[in-house]
Coordinates of all heavy atoms in Angstrom, one line a residue:
M181 N -58.8 -54.4 21.1 CA -57.8 -54.6 22.1 C -56.6 -55.5 21.6 O -56.9 -56.6 21.0 CB -58.4 -55.4 23.3 CG -59.4 -54.5 24.1 SD -58.5 -53.4 25.2 CE -59.7 -53.4 26.5
A182 N -55.4 -55.1 21.8 CA -54.3 -55.9 21.3 C -54.0 -57.1 22.3 O -54.5 -57.1 23.4 CB -53.0 -55.0 21.3
Y183 N -53.3 -58.0 21.8 CA -52.9 -59.1 22.6 C -51.8 -58.7 23.6 O -51.0 -57.8 23.3 CB -52.4 -60.3 21.8 CG -53.6 -61.3 21.3 CD1 -54.6 -60.7 20.5 CD2 -53.6 -62.6 21.7 CE1 -55.6 -61.6 20.1 CE2 -54.6 -63.4 21.3 CZ -55.6 -62.9 20.5 OH -56.6 -63.7 20.1
V184 N -51.7 -59.4 24.7 CA -50.7 -59.1 25.7 C -50.0 -60.3 26.1 O -50.7 -61.4 26.3 CB -51.4 -58.4 27.0 CG1 -50.3 -58.2 28.0 CG2 -52.0 -57.1 26.6
I185 N -48.7 -60.3 26.3 CA -47.9 -61.5 26.8 C -47.7 -61.4 28.3 O -47.2 -60.4 28.8 CB -46.6 -61.6 26.0 CG1 -46.8 -61.8 24.6 CG2 -45.7 -62.7 26.6 CD1 -45.6 -61.8 23.7
S186 N -48.1 -62.5 29.0 CA -48.0 -62.5 30.4 C -46.6 -62.9 30.9 O -45.7 -63.2 30.1 CB -49.0 -63.6 31.0 OG -48.5 -64.9 30.8
D187 N -46.4 -62.8 32.2 CA -45.1 -63.2 32.8 C -44.8 -64.7 32.6 O -43.7 -65.1 33.0 CB -45.0 -62.8 34.3 CG -45.1 -61.3 34.4 OD1 -44.8 -60.6 33.4 OD2 -45.3 -60.8 35.5
E188 N -45.7 -65.4 32.2 CA -45.4 -66.9 31.9 C -44.5 -67.1 30.8 O -43.9 -68.2 30.6 CB -46.7 -67.6 31.6 CG -47.8 -67.6 32.8 CD -47.3 -68.2 34.0 OE1 -46.8 -69.3 34.0 OE2 -47.3 -67.5 35.1
C189 N -44.3 -66.1 30.0 CA -43.4 -66.2 28.8 C -42.0 -66.7 29.2 O -41.4 -66.2 30.1 CB -43.3 -64.8 28.1 SG -42.1 -64.7 26.8
I190 N -41.5 -67.7 28.4 CA -40.2 -68.2 28.6 C -39.2 -67.8 27.5 O -38.1 -68.3 27.3 CB -40.2 -69.8 28.7 CG1 -40.9 -70.4 27.4 CG2 -41.0 -70.2 29.9 CD1 -40.8 -71.9 27.3
S191 N -39.6 -66.7 26.8 CA -38.7 -66.1 25.7 C -38.2 -67.1 24.7 O -37.1 -67.1 24.3 CB -37.6 -65.4 26.4 OG -38.0 -64.3 27.2
C192 N -39.1 -68.0 24.2 CA -38.7 -69.0 23.2 C -38.6 -68.4 21.8 O -38.0 -68.9 20.9 CB -39.6 -70.2 23.2 SG -41.3 -69.8 22.6
G193 N -39.4 -67.3 21.6 CA -39.4 -66.6 20.3 C -40.3 -67.2 19.3 O -40.4 -66.6 18.2
A194 N -41.1 -68.2 19.6 CA -42.0 -68.8 18.6 C -43.0 -67.8 18.1 O -43.4 -67.8 16.9 CB -42.6 -70.0 19.2
C195 N -43.6 -67.0 19.0 CA -44.6 -66.1 18.6 C -44.1 -65.0 17.6 O -44.8 -64.7 16.7 CB -45.2 -65.5 19.9 SG -44.0 -64.6 20.9
A196 N -42.9 -64.5 17.9 CA -42.4 -63.5 17.0 C -42.3 -63.9 15.6 O -42.5 -63.2 14.7 CB -41.1 -63.0 17.6
A197 N -41.9 -65.2 15.5 CA -41.7 -65.8 14.1 C -43.1 -65.9 13.4 O -43.1 -65.9 12.2 CB -41.0 -67.1 14.2
E198 N -44.2 -66.0 14.1 CA -45.5 -66.3 13.5 C -46.2 -64.9 13.3 O -47.2 -64.9 12.5 CB -46.3 -67.2 14.4 CG -45.9 -68.6 14.5 CD -46.0 -69.3 13.1 OE1 -47.0 -69.0 12.4 OE2 -45.1 -70.0 12.8
C199 N -45.9 -63.9 14.0 CA -46.7 -62.7 13.9 C -46.6 -62.1 12.5 O -45.6 -61.8 12.0 CB -46.2 -61.7 14.9 SG -47.2 -60.1 14.8
P200 N -47.8 -61.9 11.8 CA -47.8 -61.4 10.4 C -47.5 -60.0 10.3 O -47.1 -59.5 9.2 CB -49.3 -61.7 10.0 CG -50.1 -61.6 11.2 CD -49.2 -62.2 12.3
V201 N -47.5 -59.2 11.4 CA -47.2 -57.8 11.3 C -46.0 -57.4 12.1 O -45.7 -56.2 12.4 CB -48.4 -57.0 11.7 CG1 -49.5 -57.1 10.7 CG2 -48.9 -57.3 13.1
S202 N -45.2 -58.4 12.5 CA -44.0 -58.2 13.3 C -44.2 -57.3 14.5 O -43.4 -56.4 14.7 CB -42.9 -57.6 12.4 OG -42.6 -58.5 11.3
A203 N -45.2 -57.6 15.2 CA -45.5 -56.7 16.4 C -44.8 -57.2 17.6 O -44.9 -56.5 18.7 CB -47.1 -56.7 16.6
I204 N -44.2 -58.4 17.6 CA -43.6 -59.0 18.8 C -42.1 -58.8 18.8 O -41.5 -59.2 17.8 CB -44.0 -60.4 18.9 CG1 -45.5 -60.6 18.8 CG2 -43.5 -61.0 20.3 CD1 -46.1 -62.0 18.8
S205 N -41.5 -58.4 19.9 CA -40.1 -58.3 20.0 C -39.6 -58.7 21.4 O -40.5 -58.9 22.3 CB -39.6 -56.8 19.8 OG -40.2 -56.0 20.7
E206 N -38.3 -59.1 21.5 CA -37.8 -59.5 22.8 C -37.7 -58.4 23.8 O -37.1 -57.3 23.4 CB -36.5 -60.2 22.6 CG -36.0 -60.9 23.9 CD -34.8 -61.8 23.5 OE1 -34.2 -61.8 22.5 OE2 -34.4 -62.6 24.5
G207 N -38.3 -58.5 24.9 CA -38.2 -57.5 25.9 C -37.3 -57.8 27.1 O -36.5 -58.8 27.0
D208 N -37.5 -57.2 28.2 CA -36.7 -57.5 29.4 C -37.3 -58.7 30.2 O -38.2 -58.5 30.9 CB -36.6 -56.2 30.2 CG -35.7 -56.4 31.4 OD1 -34.9 -57.3 31.5 OD2 -35.8 -55.5 32.3
G209 N -36.8 -59.8 29.9 CA -37.3 -61.0 30.6 C -38.4 -61.8 30.0 O -38.7 -62.9 30.3
K210 N -39.1 -61.1 29.0 CA -40.1 -61.8 28.2 C -40.3 -61.0 26.9 O -39.8 -60.0 26.8 CB -41.4 -61.7 29.0 CG -42.0 -60.4 29.2 CD -43.4 -60.4 29.9 CE -44.1 -59.1 29.9 NZ -45.4 -59.2 30.5
Y211 N -41.1 -61.7 26.0 CA -41.4 -61.0 24.8 C -42.5 -60.0 25.0 O -43.4 -60.2 25.9 CB -41.7 -62.0 23.7 CG -40.4 -62.5 23.0 CD1 -39.4 -63.1 23.7 CD2 -40.3 -62.4 21.6 CE1 -38.2 -63.6 23.1 CE2 -39.1 -62.9 21.0 CZ -38.1 -63.4 21.7 OH -37.0 -63.9 21.1
V212 N -42.6 -59.0 24.2 CA -43.6 -58.0 24.3 C -44.3 -57.7 22.9 O -43.7 -57.8 21.9 CB -43.1 -56.7 24.9 CG1 -42.6 -56.9 26.3 CG2 -41.9 -56.2 24.0
I213 N -45.6 -57.3 23.0 CA -46.4 -57.0 21.8 C -46.6 -55.5 21.7 O -47.0 -54.9 22.7 CB -47.7 -57.7 21.8 CG1 -47.5 -59.3 21.8 CG2 -48.6 -57.3 20.7 CD1 -48.7 -60.1 22.0
D214 N -46.3 -55.0 20.6 CA -46.6 -53.5 20.3 C -48.1 -53.4 20.1 O -48.6 -53.9 19.0 CB -45.8 -53.0 19.2 CG -46.1 -51.6 18.8 OD1 -46.7 -50.9 19.7 OD2 -45.8 -51.1 17.7
A215 N -48.8 -52.8 21.0 CA -50.3 -52.8 20.9 C -50.8 -52.0 19.7 O -51.8 -52.2 19.2 CB -50.8 -52.1 22.2
D216 N -50.0 -51.0 19.2 CA -50.4 -50.2 18.1 C -50.3 -51.0 16.8 O -50.9 -50.6 15.8 CB -49.6 -48.9 18.0 CG -49.9 -48.0 19.2 OD1 -51.1 -48.1 19.7 OD2 -49.1 -47.2 19.6
T217 N -49.4 -52.0 16.8 CA -49.2 -52.8 15.5 C -50.0 -54.1 15.5 O -50.4 -54.5 14.4 CB -47.7 -53.2 15.5 OG1 -46.9 -52.0 15.6 CG2 -47.4 -53.8 14.1
C218 N -50.3 -54.7 16.6 CA -51.1 -56.0 16.7 C -52.4 -55.8 16.0 O -53.2 -54.9 16.2 CB -51.3 -56.3 18.2 SG -52.3 -57.8 18.4
V219 N -52.8 -56.8 15.2 CA -54.0 -56.8 14.5 C -55.0 -57.9 15.1 O -56.0 -58.3 14.5 CB -53.9 -57.1 13.0 CG1 -53.2 -55.9 12.3 CG2 -53.1 -58.3 12.6
E220 N -54.6 -58.4 16.2 CA -55.4 -59.4 17.0 C -55.8 -60.7 16.2 O -56.9 -61.1 16.3 CB -56.7 -58.7 17.4 CG -56.5 -57.4 18.2 CD -57.7 -56.6 18.3 OE1 -58.8 -57.1 18.5 OE2 -57.6 -55.3 18.1
C221 N -54.8 -61.2 15.5 CA -55.1 -62.4 14.7 C -55.1 -63.7 15.5 O -55.6 -64.7 15.2 CB -54.0 -62.5 13.6 SG -52.4 -62.9 14.2
G222 N -54.3 -63.6 16.7 CA -54.3 -64.8 17.6 C -53.2 -65.8 17.2 O -53.1 -66.8 17.9
A223 N -52.5 -65.6 16.2 CA -51.4 -66.6 15.8 C -50.4 -66.8 16.9 O -49.9 -67.9 17.2 CB -50.7 -66.0 14.6
C224 N -50.1 -65.7 17.7 CA -49.1 -65.9 18.8 C -49.6 -66.8 19.8 O -48.9 -67.7 20.4 CB -48.7 -64.5 19.3 SG -50.1 -63.5 19.8
A225 N -50.9 -66.7 20.2 CA -51.4 -67.5 21.2 C -51.5 -69.0 20.7 O -51.3 -69.9 21.6 CB -52.9 -67.0 21.5
G226 N -51.7 -69.2 19.5 CA -51.7 -70.5 18.9 C -50.4 -71.3 19.0 O -50.4 -72.5 19.0
V227 N -49.3 -70.6 18.9 CA -48.0 -71.3 18.9 C -47.3 -71.3 20.2 O -46.3 -72.0 20.4 CB -47.1 -70.7 17.8 CG1 -47.7 -70.8 16.4 CG2 -46.7 -69.3 18.1
C228 N -47.7 -70.5 21.2 CA -47.0 -70.4 22.4 C -47.2 -71.6 23.3 O -48.3 -72.1 23.5 CB -47.6 -69.2 23.2 SG -46.7 -69.0 24.8
P229 N -46.0 -72.2 23.7 CA -46.1 -73.5 24.5 C -46.6 -73.3 25.9 O -46.9 -74.2 26.6 CB -44.6 -73.9 24.5 CG -43.8 -72.6 24.4 CD -44.7 -71.8 23.4
V230 N -46.6 -72.0 26.4 CA -47.1 -71.8 27.8 C -48.3 -70.9 27.8 O -48.7 -70.4 28.9 CB -46.0 -71.2 28.6 CG1 -44.8 -72.2 28.8 CG2 -45.4 -69.9 28.1
S231 N -49.0 -70.7 26.6 CA -50.2 -69.9 26.6 C -50.0 -68.5 27.2 O -50.9 -68.0 27.9 CB -51.3 -70.6 27.2 OG -51.6 -71.8 26.6
A232 N -48.9 -67.9 27.0 CA -48.7 -66.6 27.6 C -49.4 -65.4 26.9 O -49.9 -64.5 27.6 CB -47.2 -66.2 27.6
P233 N -49.6 -65.4 25.5 CA -50.3 -64.3 24.9 C -51.8 -64.5 25.1 O -52.4 -65.6 24.9 CB -49.9 -64.4 23.4 CG -48.8 -65.4 23.4 CD -49.0 -66.3 24.5
S234 N -52.5 -63.4 25.4 CA -54.0 -63.5 25.4 C -54.5 -62.1 25.1 O -53.8 -61.1 25.2 CB -54.4 -63.9 26.8 OG -54.1 -62.9 27.8
A235 N -55.8 -62.1 24.7 CA -56.5 -60.9 24.3 C -57.0 -60.3 25.7 O -57.7 -61.0 26.4 CB -57.6 -61.1 23.4
E236 N -56.7 -59.1 26.0 CA -57.2 -58.5 27.2 C -58.1 -57.3 26.9 O -58.0 -56.6 25.9 CB -56.1 -58.1 28.1 CG -55.4 -59.4 28.6 CD -54.4 -59.1 29.8 OE1 -54.1 -57.9 30.0 OE2 -53.9 -60.0 30.4
Ligands
LIG307 FE1 -49.1 -60.5 16.1 FE2 -51.5 -61.6 15.8 FE3 -50.2 -62.0 18.1 FE4 -51.2 -59.5 17.4 S1 -52.4 -61.4 17.9 S2 -49.1 -59.9 18.3 S3 -50.8 -59.5 15.2 S4 -49.5 -62.8 16.2
LIG308 FE1 -43.0 -66.1 25.2 FE2 -44.9 -67.8 24.3 FE3 -43.8 -66.0 22.6 FE4 -42.4 -68.1 23.4 S1 -44.3 -68.1 22.1 S2 -41.7 -65.9 23.3 S3 -43.1 -68.3 25.5 S4 -45.0 -65.5 24.5

């Protein structure tokens, strides 16, 4: 299961900079994770100030 970014995202961009496989990009109103690219490392969840990314 890939990580998913919730609506709590404030579009700070910190997660995109940390993702080792560049699976995160800026979407409409929040950042989004490409499920096919995510390797479930959890780095995005570790740097997010509002705990928006989670494994679902
Ligand atoms: Fe990228 Fe890892 Fe987050 Fe997946 S869990 S989006 S691979 S940082
Ligand atoms: Fe959104 Fe958190 Fe990523 Fe910042 S680190 S863009 S708040 S998901």
